[in-house]
Amino acid sequence: MCSWGVTFVLLITCEGRRRKSESAYSEEQQAMDPKYQRVKLNDGHFIPILGFGTYAPEEVPKSEALEVTQLAIEVGFRHIDCAHLYQNEGQVGQAIRSKIADGTVKREDIFYTSKLWSTFLQPELVRPALEKSLKNVQLDYVDLYIIHFPLALKPGEELFPKDENGKMMYDSVDLCRTWEALEKCKDAGLAKSIGVSNFNHKQLEKILNKPGLKYKPVCNQVLDFELTPEDMKAIDGLNSNIRYYDLVFLADHPDYPFSEEY
């Protein structure tokens, strides 16, 4: 099953007013067009409300990432959500550049999100990881760079490093130091905005309360999923919080985020 589709972002701080457009579109037309539906982040940049998610399982040909991302831009998506983990930033970047080349969009029309994977959370690895993503996608900057998970894994090229017994190999890192490295990436112009993903409230508060904090995270992006009407009916009948995606294979990690509420 493929996971192309809409990504929703939980914003920590935003302003509800939509930026006035200089386009000839009427306000009514803009309200119906996803490329005009944006909110203001706490650093002053604007993010489209809807994003196009580009994750797909390994068995899906990488060429499909190129095709569906081109189609997404053609139908109006302007926020393209990708990550090192997805292993398709080259194809997604090619799609973006092709739509710039044919005049469909300009670079400034696209809001490109990438994510720092768990094997690169050591502070000295953050900028090289971002530079690698930029090289793959062939862009000069990302609009948003976020820590994918607050779970450090052993540094290296393997996405999910395991020992000889097949056990996941974890790492230990101070996420505040990781955050400081992201702040430097923003200062260097490699990322316009920086944020986090899948953090629980304690992990998020640790960064927000960090002495010397220069930039607050602009978002805490949480995993999205599709529910059927039957699913919604069942949920409506419950009076409790339910987490549908909990990374059980990492549940013994010391920094496992889902033991706490968001």
Side-chain angles (χ1 to χ4, degrees):
M1 183 178 180
C2 191
S3 298
W4 315 119
V6 178
T7 296
F8 295 90
V9 179
L10 173 63
L11 300 175
I12 297 168
T13 303
C14 65
E15 296 178 5
R17 292 176 297 173
R18 179 162 49 84
R19 181 174 54 178
K20 291 183 179 179
S21 172
E22 297 178 358
S23 167
Y25 279 75
S26 69
E27 288 189 7
E28 196 171 287
Q29 287 173 311
Q30 292 176 19
M32 295 297 292
D33 192 327
K35 61 177 170 284
Y36 292 107
Q37 297 173 10
R38 299 169 180 257
V39 292
K40 190 175 183 181
L41 299 171
N42 61 24
D43 63 356
H45 293 296
F46 287 80
I47 183 172
I49 292 175
L50 297 181
F52 184 76
T54 59
Y55 169 77
E58 289 184 7
E59 59 269 21
V60 176
K62 298 300 182 185
S63 60
E64 287 197 14
L66 168 61
E67 296 168 8
V68 299
T69 303
Q70 287 174 325
L71 179 60
I73 294 173
E74 289 169 5
V75 300
F77 281 95
R78 295 296 178 261
H79 180 184
I80 306 300
D81 180 272
C82 200
H84 174 74
L85 174 64
Y86 303 166
Q87 295 290 284
N88 59 8
E89 286 195 292
Q91 291 76 20
V92 172
Q94 185 180 350
I96 293 172
R97 296 193 311 277
S98 72
K99 292 292 100 182
I100 293 173
D102 71 11
T104 301
V105 292
K106 297 178 181 178
R107 171 62 184 96
E108 57 267 28
D109 296 328
I110 295 294
F111 191 100
Y112 182 75
T113 295
S114 188
K115 307 179 188 73
L116 177 69
W117 182 235
S118 295
T119 53
F120 304 111
L121 295 188
Q122 292 295 339
E124 68 274 12
L125 300 179
V126 172
R127 178 164 177 163
L130 174 52
E131 289 175 336
K132 182 176 181 179
S133 284
L134 289 172
K135 182 178 180 180
N136 287 336
V137 79
Q138 294 187 39
L139 296 176
D140 294 329
Y141 64 89
V142 298
D143 295 274
L144 175 60
Y145 198 50
I146 59 183
I147 301 174
H148 206 154
F149 287 99
L151 304 171
L153 300 178
K154 180 183 177 182
E157 292 304 313
E158 293 184 37
L159 294 174
F160 295 98
K162 297 179 181 179
D163 62 19
E164 62 274 11
N165 298 314
K167 182 176 175 59
M168 202 73 69
M169 300 176 72
Y170 299 150
D171 195 18
S172 178
V173 67
D174 183 346
L175 289 171
C176 287
R177 304 288 81 79
T178 305
W179 184 254
E180 289 172 358
L182 262 75
E183 290 180 323
K184 292 178 181 178
C185 289
K186 177 177 171 68
D187 284 338
L190 301 178
K192 288 195 171 184
S193 299
I194 51 177
V196 300
S197 178
N198 299 299
F199 276 46
N200 62 39
H201 71 97
K202 289 183 177 179
Q203 292 164 330
L204 189 55
E205 288 166 2
K206 184 178 180 181
I207 291 179
L208 291 173
N209 296 326
K210 184 185 81 67
L213 179 69
K214 189 170 186 179
Y215 303 116
K216 293 181 180 179
V218 299
C219 68
N220 184 20
Q221 188 188 72
V222 295
L223 290 165
D224 64 297
F225 48 85
E226 183 175 351
L227 297 176
T228 66
E230 291 76 18
D231 292 329
M232 290 304 300
K233 184 177 181 180
I235 291 173
D236 287 341
L238 300 175
N239 186 25
S240 62
N241 291 321
I242 297 176
R243 181 171 284 113
Y244 282 83
Y245 191 88
D246 52 12
L247 291 175
V248 290
F249 67 98
L250 294 174
D252 62 341
H253 194 293
D255 297 317
Y256 182 71
F258 303 142
S259 298
E260 295 280 343
E261 292 302 319
Y262 287 105

